[in-house]
Amino acid sequence: MHEYDDVVLSCFLKKQKQLFPENVAETLEEAEAFLEDCMAVVVNSVQEVWEYFDEEGVDMEGADEEEILSAQEVFDVGDGRYLIVEG
C-alpha cells in the first residue's frame, strides 16, 4: 500500500485535469483512494522520474528533462517530489 501525504494529495486534487478530462476526486480521501487504485508513485527527484519511465519501458530517446516533466502523468508536487499517475 502506498502512503500519500496531504501535500501530494492536494497537488493531485488541484492538477488532476492535466491528465483527466474531468475531476476523478473531490476530497483528500477520494484522491488517496484513486491514487492507491492507480498505484501512483511519488518520487523524490527528476532522476527518479527518468528511472521510473525507464523501468516501465517508456521510450524517452531524444527527450529532455523539460519534456519528461511536462508529461501529462507527471505532477510536480512543488517540494522537489513528483507524483506519477498512470491514466
Side-chain angles (χ1 to χ4, degrees), residues 1-85:
M1 183 200 264
H2 295 94
E3 294 288 325
Y4 307 103
D5 62 32
D6 286 352
V7 175
V8 170
L9 296 173
S10 295
C11 169
F12 179 72
L13 284 174
K14 185 170 139 184
K15 299 178 180 181
Q16 62 186 308
K17 285 190 177 177
Q18 84 181 29
L19 183 58
F20 302 102
E22 56 188 44
N23 288 349
V24 295
E26 298 294 331
T27 66
L28 293 177
E29 293 78 16
E30 289 176 359
E32 184 170 32
F34 182 82
L35 294 175
E36 286 175 354
D37 287 347
C38 289
M39 298 191 325
V41 176
V42 178
V43 297
N44 295 312
S45 68
V46 174
Q47 180 61 35
E48 289 183 17
V49 174
W50 278 91
E51 290 169 6
Y52 174 85
F53 282 130
D54 188 47
E55 288 172 8
E56 294 297 310
V58 175
D59 181 15
M60 301 177 303
E61 188 163 336
D64 62 18
E65 182 177 306
E66 185 177 325
E67 289 173 309
I68 294 297
L69 296 180
S70 65
Q72 288 181 314
E73 52 274 291
V74 178
F75 294 79
D76 184 348
V77 176
D79 60 3
R81 297 180 296 164
Y82 297 89
L83 171 66
I84 304 171
V85 180

